Amino acid sequence: MRAFAHLLERLVLTPSRTRKIELMVHYFRAVPDPDRGLGLAALTGDLDLVAVKPALIRQLVAEVTDAELFGLSYDYVGDLAETVALIWPAPGGSDAPLRLSQVVAALDGASRSEAPAVLRRLLDGLGPSQRFAALKLATGGLRVGVSARLARQALADFGGVEVNAVEEVWHAQASPYASLFAWLEGRGDKPVSRVAAPFRPVMLAHPLDERDRAAIGPRDYLAEWKWDGIRVQAVAEGGARRLYSRSGEDITAAWPDLIAAMEFEGAIDGELLVRRAAHGGDAGTFADLQQRLNRKSVSTRLQQQFPAFVRAYDLLVDDGEDVRALALTSRRERLALLVGRLDPLRFDLSPLVPFADAGELERLRRSPPHPVIEGLMLKRRDAPYLPGRPKGPWFKWKKDPHVVDAVLMYAQRGHGKRSSYYSDYTFGVWHEGELVPVGKAYFGFTDEELRALDRFVREHTTDRFGPVRAVRAEPGFGLVLEVAFEGLNRSGRHRSGIAMRFPRIARIRWDKPPAEADRLATLEALLPGSPGAPTP
Amino acid sequence: MRPDELLRPRPEGLYCPPGDFFIDPVRPVARALVTHGHSDHARAGHGAVLATAHTLAIMALRHGPDFCASRQAARFGESIDLGGVRVTFHPAGHVLGSAQIAVERNGLRIVASGDYKCRPDPTAEAFAPVACDVFITEATFGLPVFRHPDPAAEIGALIRSAEEFPDRTHLVGVYALGKAQRVARLLRDNGWNRPVHIHGALKEICSYYQASGIDLGDLRPATIEGGGRGDFAGAIVLGPPSSFASPWVRRFADPLIAFASGWMQIRARMRQRGVELPLVISDHCDWDELTRTLRDTGASQIWVTHGREEAVVRWCELNGISARPLHLVGYEDEAE
Ligand SMILES: [Zn+2]
Ligand SMILES: [Zn+2]
């Protein structure tokens, strides 16, 4: 339990993704089974314990502390579990340290009437930071910013295997993952997936470089539109139906309308999109799709307003036959037959884009026929379906991002090794003679440019609010940043009424006077539905 | 004689009318008794200062040699008469030279604790409770949630992290007087035999400790000598917390920020400071030590200052000891 409590604390306080992974790898090395597997399950939210109510914890602590002293402490600390962990009177954790597995077993096995005694015994037997961890486990409030994907990357690093290999077997595994660890340590065979309708690791594309363009031609490559939705795998096998995100997250529960239409036997790779019921069922933008994302369940109203569908582009399993080793052209033929039998409002085929040469593709890419297209996909006709990101068979060629000139308004210090630099910038554009903030982007420069920007911020600070500095920004003096972004949405949260998607600082325009930066009207014209927006 | 005829709060600090002196005054006064060298207790500009020799020396290092008009060194356990008031300095265990001050007249003894720490610490003279009628206690960590772990275990976590991430520089935030030296010494006593690097702001007081016979091992300046960032990979560097937000930290390899302080027990404080590795190492007593000391002094009255007065007063009430908050002004939440 000591190691787990320590890991929790370090994970919460460590901003860097790479360092989080390292911490987990070290934990997997240092801690034996089944504790490490339980720790893993706890981090990813897969440890299902009957939740203890905060009221019970309050009751227990009231038995051993003065109410006024507890109240003063709680006011100061601000978190119930933390206050109780620190104030609990027993010194704890000295002679026979409890293991995580013992704590989990105690919490798991306790009936409602036994729970108070079990919890009291645990609190007596653990040291303060372990009590905190145990209370967070017991109340189900463990939030450490570790996604299942991050945990799987840590497992892959721990075992020296590709993350795809872990993703492939992940769904067949359950806490405490003994056979998974045995395999990763070279003590056992790779576990086989026994789950019905399992996830298969997806094939990813490389961005198309200038150098790669020469190789692109209709003889070797197929082209199709790149749809701006989310990549999914729809699997229906042996009566089970599941929908996975591209990293293997099971997102079935949020898409009941789509699941009901999965009347096939196989595994389809495609883009999840929504239709706008109010606009004759046309494919909705990413903003429409967002209405339905990050929800555990979904209301009937939302399902009717934004019905989901899959624009299919590949087939991994066809009626029990694994077709991943076949060439793309054969897989697409089978896919077309399969999709042809499905409800066309729920599954359609991503159409091929005929082209003569790379020059024609270039023209198509610049003016796609639909606003929900974000570029082109180029796929080798003869390539099998390979997990990961193999170089060569698949390319993505995105539309050029939009670019505006904005003025630096605020700067904030970064994290980790950037914590001494002002590396996080809020910028604005002109509106009625004033600057209105339109977005925020992180550092994307060379070290030298970062230093120069940092110096500019420090030398021209006009005000400070905690870690944030306001920077001089006037028509005649200030710093112009060329900001590239993928798109715009309307937003009530920003004063400007717009929110940028994926903004990044493309260039620092030391040469440009702020008065010549862009106006809000320029951005408003790019909003979906406005007259200036790219037309379908 | 009533206690408040012997010592009473005034805007300048705690005042003794018959002896005509202040203890730890926050504004310039004619005669000051100073418990220890931390800046909110030891200000410059007084007429006469009475303090231990170490405290006087530390004040001279921080404020310059002319920090007061005249000075007198007090020795632990020796009484001095000031206008019919007997004054005795006793070790407080907080930092080198830190003292509790006992003030006596007509059979009434009041002890002003200053800041104090009960745990053994080779970098400060050992604290012992002083029997008295009225004990004026600090309350920096005066809430029952403050229960400091064994400092050896905390230092162990730092050493383990330095071994776990040999490519990173471990930057440990420490205040210049007391904490820096304690952490350096704890590193030595817990098996860290490599050099400890220090920020320039820590140099003077570390040298003073070493000249006073406290072994801190091999301390080196945290400056780059012809090398690159790699010089400090795997190193432990001590610096004042304020330096971490300055360009100074850029010389280090992927720094991991640690902070040695009693406040590091509270998660909100860790996050507020952007600390990756909190080290709960304090110059002050924790709740259990504080309440035990209140009993040990045998005092029938407790005056509480400098921190979370409310909770300490409540504890006294529960334990049948009369207590009141002093509401002295000018002392910050201890930056420790
Ligand atoms: Zn102090
Ligand atoms: Zn103090």
Side-chain angles (χ1 to χ4, degrees):
Chain A
M1 193 66 189
R2 195 184 300 271
F4 178 66
H6 184 68
L7 175 69
L8 274 192
E9 184 173 293
R10 294 295 299 265
L11 284 175
V12 169
L13 297 174
T14 300
S16 147
R17 190 185 131 83
T18 333
R19 298 298 182 182
K20 279 189 173 129
I21 291 173
E22 276 181 70
L23 285 166
M24 284 189 272
V25 171
H26 296 162
Y27 174 78
F28 297 148
R29 281 204 196 114
V31 173
D33 289 324
D35 302 72
R36 58 182 171 182
L38 292 168
L40 171 62
L43 292 179
T44 55
D46 294 322
L47 197 62
D48 262 331
L49 298 172
V50 184
V52 168
K53 295 270 185 302
L56 172 60
I57 294 168
R58 285 172 182 276
Q59 175 203 322
L60 290 180
V61 77
E63 291 167 10
V64 292
T65 55
D66 172 57
E68 190 179 329
L69 287 177
F70 180 79
L72 289 167
S73 299
Y74 186 23
D75 284 350
Y76 183 83
V77 174
D79 179 274
L80 180 67
E82 188 179 351
T83 311
V84 173
L86 293 169
I87 209 171
W88 194 261
S94 42
D95 14 291
L98 282 173
R99 293 173 59 170
L100 176 59
S101 47
Q102 294 170 299
V103 173
V104 169
L107 288 171
D108 205 24
S111 69
R112 187 180 287 268
S113 60
E114 293 164 336
V118 165
L119 206 54
R120 201 181 290 121
R121 251 198 323 277
L122 283 179
L123 292 172
D124 281 342
L126 296 168
S129 66
Q130 304 165 44
R131 274 183 217 133
F132 176 75
L135 285 170
K136 288 291 180 188
L137 280 179
T139 52
L142 204 68
R143 271 180 218 95
V144 288
V146 171
S147 64
R149 183 161 178 78
L150 198 71
R152 290 193 297 259
Q153 184 63 56
L155 286 168
D157 289 6
F158 166 74
V161 299
E162 289 295 317
V163 69
N164 294 321
V166 176
E167 280 173 355
E168 200 178 312
V169 300
W170 179 256
H171 292 277
Q173 301 300 306
S175 159
Y177 309 104
S179 53
L180 183 67
F181 281 110
W183 165 56
L184 292 170
E185 286 180 327
R187 292 182 289 108
D189 293 332
K190 185 170 176 179
V192 283
S193 185
R194 272 178 302 272
V195 165
F199 171 73
R200 277 106 178 155
V202 302
M203 180 163 178
L204 301 166
H206 275 271
L208 186 74
D209 283 344
E210 202 75 50
R211 292 189 302 278
D212 304 320
R213 286 196 204 170
I216 305 297
R219 195 169 58 88
D220 295 327
Y221 283 85
L222 292 178
E224 55 187 88
W225 298 116
K226 183 173 182 351
W227 300 94
D228 191 11
I230 60 169
R231 178 90 177 266
V232 291
Q233 197 174 102
V235 189
E237 286 177 306
R241 294 178 182 184
R242 289 175 199 268
L243 193 66
Y244 296 102
S245 73
R246 66 175 238 189
S247 57
E249 245 73 57
D250 188 334
I251 54 170
T252 311
W255 308 92
D257 47 345
L258 186 69
I259 305 301
M262 285 171 60
E263 302 281 344
F264 59 88
E265 189 69 21
I268 291 177
D269 185 1
E271 201 78 2
L272 178 65
L273 296 161
V274 294
R275 292 185 199 283
R276 306 166 99 179
H279 291 73
D282 189 23
T285 62
F286 196 80
D288 297 327
L289 180 61
Q290 261 175 335
Q291 305 285 330
R292 288 196 57 174
L293 293 181
N294 303 319
R295 290 172 190 269
K296 281 243 151 69
S297 63
V298 59
S299 69
T300 316
R301 194 182 60 82
L302 262 182
Q303 289 182 51
Q304 284 165 356
Q305 207 179 347
F306 297 112
F309 72 101
V310 166
R311 190 144 282 169
Y313 36 68
D314 216 320
L315 189 64
L316 283 63
V317 176
D318 185 13
D319 200 8
E321 183 190 349
D322 188 333
V323 295
R324 285 179 288 181
L326 301 183
L328 172 64
T329 43
S330 318
R331 296 200 307 277
R332 271 200 72 111
E333 274 168 32
R334 288 173 177 244
L335 178 68
L337 287 174
L338 190 151
V339 168
R341 294 193 296 267
L342 301 176
D343 177 354
L345 286 175
R346 296 297 183 178
F347 284 89
D348 61 19
L349 194 64
S350 177
L352 293 178
V353 179
F355 69 103
D357 51 30
E360 184 174 0
L361 282 179
E362 168 80 68
R363 279 190 299 282
L364 288 163
R365 176 183 72 99
R366 280 173 189 280
S367 51
H370 194 282
V372 190
I373 289 171
E374 56 169 0
L376 282 164
M377 293 297 299
L378 304 162
K379 300 176 176 176
R380 264 197 87 90
R381 290 169 179 270
D382 59 1
Y385 193 94
L386 300 166
R389 208 185 289 275
K391 175 91 189 182
W394 283 17
F395 290 107
K396 55 184 171 192
W397 198 7
K398 288 207 187 186
K399 281 192 298 202
D400 282 330
H402 306 284
V403 174
V404 286
D405 287 330
V407 183
L408 174 63
M409 297 176 70
Y410 305 98
Q412 190 173 347
R413 277 206 291 269
H415 281 291
K417 64 175 155 191
R418 305 220 180 277
S419 61
S420 76
Y421 289 99
Y422 286 88
S423 60
D424 186 357
Y425 312 100
T426 300
F427 41 81
V429 292
W430 297 107
H431 180 57
E432 293 171 356
E434 266 186 74
L435 284 170
V436 286
V438 290
K440 196 171 170 182
Y442 294 97
F443 158 82
F445 324 95
T446 63
D447 280 1
E448 199 176 321
E449 283 174 306
L450 176 62
R451 272 194 293 276
L453 254 173
D454 181 74
R455 202 178 316 120
F456 180 88
V457 170
R458 288 174 192 272
E459 285 171 8
H460 301 289
T461 299
T462 55
D463 209 346
R464 296 171 189 228
F465 328 87
V468 179
R469 290 188 183 209
V471 181
R472 229 180 121 187
E474 301 147 16
F477 187 88
L479 186 59
V480 176
L481 302 171
E482 186 180 301
V483 180
F485 56 96
E486 301 295 333
L488 289 180
N489 295 329
R490 289 184 198 280
S491 161
R493 279 187 307 136
H494 297 79
R495 189 148 61 91
S496 60
I498 56 169
M500 282 184 175
R501 292 185 57 212
F502 305 115
R504 60 183 192 279
I505 313 272
R507 263 197 306 166
I508 312 172
R509 297 294 306 266
W510 299 103
D511 55 311
K512 192 160 190 168
E516 289 175 25
D518 278 304
R519 254 140 266 280
L520 187 59
T522 316
L523 285 174
E524 281 168 342
L526 295 172
L527 280 168
S530 74
T535 41
Chain B
M1 162 166 241
R2 290 205 328 265
D4 64 350
E5 291 168 343
L6 187 54
L7 274 179
R8 65 173 55 169
R10 287 246 304 247
E12 300 91 324
L14 209 50
Y15 181 61
C16 174
D20 191 23
F21 60 80
F22 288 86
I23 296 177
D24 289 352
V26 295
R27 298 182 199 163
V29 299
R31 174 169 277 281
L33 276 57
V34 174
T35 59
H36 68 285
H38 278 148
S39 54
D40 53 342
H41 299 258
R43 316 235 171 189
H46 303 308
V49 170
L50 174 62
T52 64
H54 282 317
T55 298
L56 291 172
I58 289 164
M59 289 176 79
L61 285 177
R62 307 195 116 185
H63 301 300
D66 304 321
F67 67 91
C68 65
S70 74
R71 67 204 71 177
Q72 183 184 350
R75 267 203 273 260
F76 286 128
E78 283 184 18
S79 299
I80 295 165
D81 187 283
L82 294 173
V85 177
R86 233 165 88 98
V87 171
T88 317
F89 283 59
H90 299 275
H94 174 57
V95 298
L96 187 61
S98 66
Q100 315 173 65
I101 300 178
V103 177
E104 275 176 279
R105 187 175 153 100
N106 299 343
L108 175 73
R109 185 191 287 166
I110 304 182
V111 171
S113 74
D115 294 337
Y116 65 104
K117 167 172 97 255
C118 310
R119 301 206 181 182
D121 169 9
T123 68
E125 302 87 343
F127 172 87
V130 180
C132 55
D133 304 295
V134 178
F135 184 59
I136 306 175
T137 186
E138 62 136 323
T140 304
F141 293 114
L143 276 177
V145 285
F146 289 112
R147 295 157 81 203
H148 304 328
D150 179 4
E154 298 296 289
I155 281 294
L158 171 62
I159 294 175
R160 270 199 312 283
S161 180
E163 285 160 357
E164 189 178 350
F165 296 105
D167 56 330
R168 304 186 73 178
T169 306
H170 281 59
L171 278 182
V172 187
V174 288
Y175 285 98
L177 170 57
K179 195 61 62 64
Q181 299 75 28
R182 176 132 186 258
V183 168
R185 180 57 186 249
L186 279 166
L187 280 165
R188 300 308 175 203
D189 292 343
N190 289 279
W192 182 263
N193 297 318
R194 293 159 53 191
V196 171
H197 297 270
I198 57 171
H199 183 274
L202 308 181
K203 185 171 177 289
E204 246 184 349
I205 295 187
C206 285
S207 303
Y208 178 75
Y209 269 60
Q210 286 180 305
S212 306
I214 293 165
D215 185 10
L216 304 178
D218 184 2
L219 298 185
R220 296 196 189 166
T223 47
I224 294 179
E225 290 137 358
R229 287 159 177 264
D231 288 4
F232 291 99
I236 293 180
V237 178
L238 309 183
S242 57
S243 63
F244 294 173
S246 76
W248 175 75
V249 305
R250 294 176 195 167
R251 64 189 67 182
F252 302 112
D254 195 4
L256 183 151
I257 306 288
F259 186 41
S261 162
W263 299 118
M264 287 298 100
Q265 207 151 30
I266 305 298
R267 274 153 214 274
R269 291 265 191 162
M270 307 173 191
R271 288 192 295 268
Q272 179 191 28
R273 288 240 169 218
V275 166
E276 274 190 62
L277 183 63
L279 303 171
V280 188
I281 298 175
S282 175
D283 293 341
H284 298 259
C285 49
D286 69 4
W287 173 259
D288 295 332
E289 292 158 345
L290 194 153
T291 52
R292 195 182 61 230
T293 302
L294 300 188
R295 281 216 179 88
D296 287 351
T297 61
S300 56
Q301 248 190 71
I302 303 290
W303 296 352
V304 192
T305 174
H306 207 10
R308 266 131 284 279
E309 290 94 342
E310 239 181 314
V312 176
V313 170
R314 171 65 182 167
W315 181 88
C316 291
E317 187 186 314
L318 290 170
N319 287 273
I321 303 173
S322 119
R324 68 177 176 104
L326 268 194
H327 301 305
L328 286 173
V329 290
Y331 302 96
E332 316 287 315
D333 217 7
E334 193 78 1
E336 81 106 31

